[in-house]
Amino acid sequence: LAKTTQPISMDSYEGQEVNITCSHNNIATNDYITWYQQFPSQGPRFIIQGYKTKVTNEVASLFIPADRKSSTLSLPRVSLSDTAVYYCLVGEAGNQGGKLIFGQGTELSVKP
Amino acid sequence: NAGVMQNPRHLVRRRGQEARLRCSPMKGHSHVYWYRQLPEEGLKFMVYLQKENIIDESGMPKERFSAEFPKEGPSILRIQQVVRGDSAAYFCASSPSLTDTQYFGPGTRLTVL
């Protein structure tokens, strides 16, 4: 199973762009990269998913280099409400046989 | 279209009692997943069900825990003879198929006294 490594925590200020990098050296050919966001006392929320190059939606961008051994979640102009834990997951179709394998995530703190 | 619903949101039980957690998936979703999040830890997969069938229960403790997803009604996660170590947030997710995004409910916070 592909394992992911992310920074445990990051600090940022309102209005800045935040980039969270995830390492997944053992990613398999059929694996996708998926990011979830979790606020305190809430369930995880799907943010974005990609396979290669760049994916962008209304919330974030996901950059994946050619070797796919890492990926970067980019949050443009963060606000206080973006303070949350961000999880990077890899697996076929975003999961591994139905299981989402969560690591410890990156705790993002946005300050005024 | 309502999201994934879980109830109760908070549940308090004394050691030895039973806990029943309910999950109603999003409309049109026939795949349900249960995860547990212990205090200060990440989410851990417990069980994956598809209508009336348990597909993967590899993450569920062998004793005291059971799950079902009947043809009609919500999915139920049942914990018998609860112990303090069962105190956690239990999240349910659903998807329309195995290869689709999983959408999570708000969770049930179980406290065992």
Side-chain angles (χ1 to χ4, degrees), chain A residues 76-90:
Chain A
R77 296 181 298 282
V78 294
S79 64
L80 295 176
S81 62
D82 291 316
T83 294
V85 179
Y86 292 82
Y87 295 97
C88 164
L89 294 82
V90 296

Side-chain angles (χ1 to χ4, degrees), chain A residues 36 38 41 95 98-100, chain B residues 35 37 56 58 98 102 109:
Chain A
Y36 278 81
Q38 186 180 25
S41 301
N95 62 62
K99 305 174 192 177
L100 292 177
Chain B
Y35 295 84
Q37 188 168 33
D56 182 350
S58 59
L98 177 63
Q102 293 184 21
R109 272 144 195 86

